[in-house]
Amino acid sequence: MKKLPYYLLLVLAFSQVQAQKDFQGMAVYESKTQTPKFDGMRAGNRDITPEMQKSIEERMKQMLEKTFVLNFNKSASIYKEEEKLETPGQQGGGMRMMMSSMMGGGGTFYKDVKSKTYTVDKEFMGKEFLVKDSLPRLNWKLEQETKQIGGYNCYKATVVKEASQTDFRNFRPKNNDDKKDDAKKSSGDTKTNFEDSFEIPKEIIVTAWYTPEIPINQGPENYWGLPGLILEVNDGTTTILCSKIVLNAKEKADIKAPSKGKEISQKEYDETVVKKMKEFREMNRGRAGGPPMMGR
């Protein structure tokens, strides 16, 4: 077998390096969250009727079903909600933006797995924020269980992580004993107010499925750190599932961090949101109408 000339070896080596450098992909994710049940509750000082319950749950379902696009290369990615035209009758823009921000939407989520940092631009209550912080350390437990997603062989991984107190998707219904205690304290009957029927746990168990066939440690939202692209995530109430993958398309996405908004840490942003949530809760207490932060 003849040896290749030295200059050809250099060309091949350069081509391989360039191919790795130019590697890019796009993944589409469908996000769905279980709709909370509002039966047996009060909205302000009124019982939630079956008609109100149906209307609220339908609006919640629309807001809790989203499509996101992840553009990625070897070291960085941008994750953004796919823009959709609003249909007539949807709630006001400001309230919708606030709820979207609290349900995993709003802005461009940029992850740099090389520097282990992220940047996301968010609009909240009419103000623009640029949240910059370190990526969360996720101590994944790699499992042997496998399944196929879109033709890719995937492996299971689990992690216990702290639940964000500003993400509406983390709300869980209280158990019956807790509801009864709250009802006795508040009104003496079996009805409870909306805000007294749900709680946010301190920790949640997350199950992810990743494929080593796309060997990058990226994934949707702030999930990362597995030996392959994450194609599915489930945290008990929300499922994010990849529905489409395109690798090395001719048109390349511009993968760079957003830069617009007041720079702030994740902790500072969370404190701002929690403060506003408390203000809305106090404002809605004792008022007739829909549950807090739902709008009309």
Side-chain angles (χ1 to χ4, degrees):
M1 182 177 177
K2 290 185 178 181
K3 290 184 178 181
L4 291 172
Y6 181 68
Y7 75 90
L8 282 180
L9 290 173
L10 286 177
V11 170
L12 287 172
F14 176 79
S15 298
Q16 290 177 344
V17 170
Q18 194 66 25
Q20 290 183 349
K21 182 180 177 182
D22 294 339
F23 170 79
Q24 193 175 116
M26 182 271 289
V28 178
Y29 292 86
E30 308 296 334
S31 176
K32 293 185 178 182
T33 301
Q34 295 176 14
T35 306
K37 296 297 181 182
F38 298 95
D39 56 313
M41 283 187 282
R42 294 187 188 277
N45 57 13
R46 293 168 53 194
D47 292 345
I48 292 182
T49 65
E51 291 76 19
M52 289 172 61
Q53 178 185 339
K54 184 178 180 181
S55 175
I56 292 170
E57 290 180 359
E58 184 59 35
R59 281 193 288 171
M60 289 293 290
K61 182 181 178 182
Q62 292 176 2
M63 295 182 68
L64 291 170
E65 293 183 356
K66 297 172 176 288
T67 301
F68 293 86
V69 176
L70 178 75
N71 285 285
F72 56 86
N73 55 34
K74 285 286 185 179
S75 61
S77 68
I78 52 173
Y79 183 74
K80 191 172 183 178
E81 182 180 352
E82 188 176 74
E83 294 183 3
K84 295 179 181 178
L85 292 175
E86 289 193 8
T87 57
Q90 285 187 320
Q91 59 182 315
M95 185 67 69
R96 184 172 175 79
M97 284 182 185
M98 183 181 78
M99 291 298 290
S100 177
S101 180
M102 292 172 60
M103 291 190 289
T108 299
F109 198 115
Y110 172 85
K111 288 198 300 287
D112 187 331
V113 296
K114 193 173 182 179
S115 64
K116 296 180 174 60
T117 60
Y118 70 90
T119 303
V120 56
D121 56 338
K122 287 179 174 286
E123 185 171 343
F124 183 75
M125 301 297 290
K127 295 183 179 180
E128 294 181 335
F129 295 94
L130 189 66
V131 182
K132 285 188 173 185
D133 221 315
S134 300
L135 282 169
R137 294 184 62 182
L138 300 174
N139 297 315
W140 293 103
K141 179 183 178 183
L142 304 184
E143 312 278 0
Q144 294 301 312
E145 190 176 344
T146 64
K147 71 174 182 179
Q148 281 210 342
I149 298 176
Y152 289 91
N153 294 312
C154 296
Y155 289 83
K156 182 180 179 180
T158 57
V159 67
V160 178
K161 61 173 287 192
E162 183 180 352
S164 170
Q165 300 300 298
T166 62
D167 190 338
F168 186 84
R169 297 171 302 173
N170 288 329
F171 275 70
R172 308 296 199 261
K174 288 184 178 180
N175 61 47
N176 291 331
D177 291 335
D178 290 338
K179 287 182 180 180
K180 289 177 182 177
D181 290 341
D182 289 336
K184 289 178 182 178
K185 290 178 184 178
S186 59
S187 61
D189 59 23
T190 57
K191 301 282 186 178
T192 57
N193 286 322
F194 172 84
E195 61 267 32
D196 296 324
S197 299
F198 296 90
E199 61 184 354
I200 296 181
K202 291 184 178 180
E203 295 180 329
I204 54 177
I205 299 174
V206 177
T207 300
W209 295 88
Y210 66 95
T211 176
E213 295 172 18
I214 305 178
I216 61 166
N217 55 353
Q218 290 280 357
E221 295 189 5
N222 60 355
Y223 294 105
W224 71 292
L226 285 169
L229 179 65
I230 299 172
L231 298 189
E232 182 179 342
V233 175
N234 182 283
D235 66 5
T237 62
T238 298
T239 298
I240 304 173
L241 177 63
C242 182
S243 59
K244 180 182 179 181
I245 294 177
V246 178
L247 298 178
N248 292 322
K250 289 183 178 181
E251 291 188 16
K252 303 292 183 182
D254 191 10
I255 300 176
K256 65 179 182 180
S259 57
K260 193 175 181 181
K262 177 186 176 183
E263 191 169 322
I264 192 172
S265 70
Q266 187 66 59
K267 182 181 178 182
E268 291 170 328
Y269 177 78
D270 289 346
E271 289 173 349
T272 300
V273 174
V274 168
K275 181 181 177 181
K276 289 297 180 183
M277 286 171 66
K278 288 180 179 178
E279 290 177 4
F280 265 87
R281 187 162 59 243
E282 292 302 318
M283 188 173 65
N284 278 275
R285 281 188 185 277
R287 280 178 51 184
M293 296 183 292
M294 281 299 298
R296 278 196 174 276

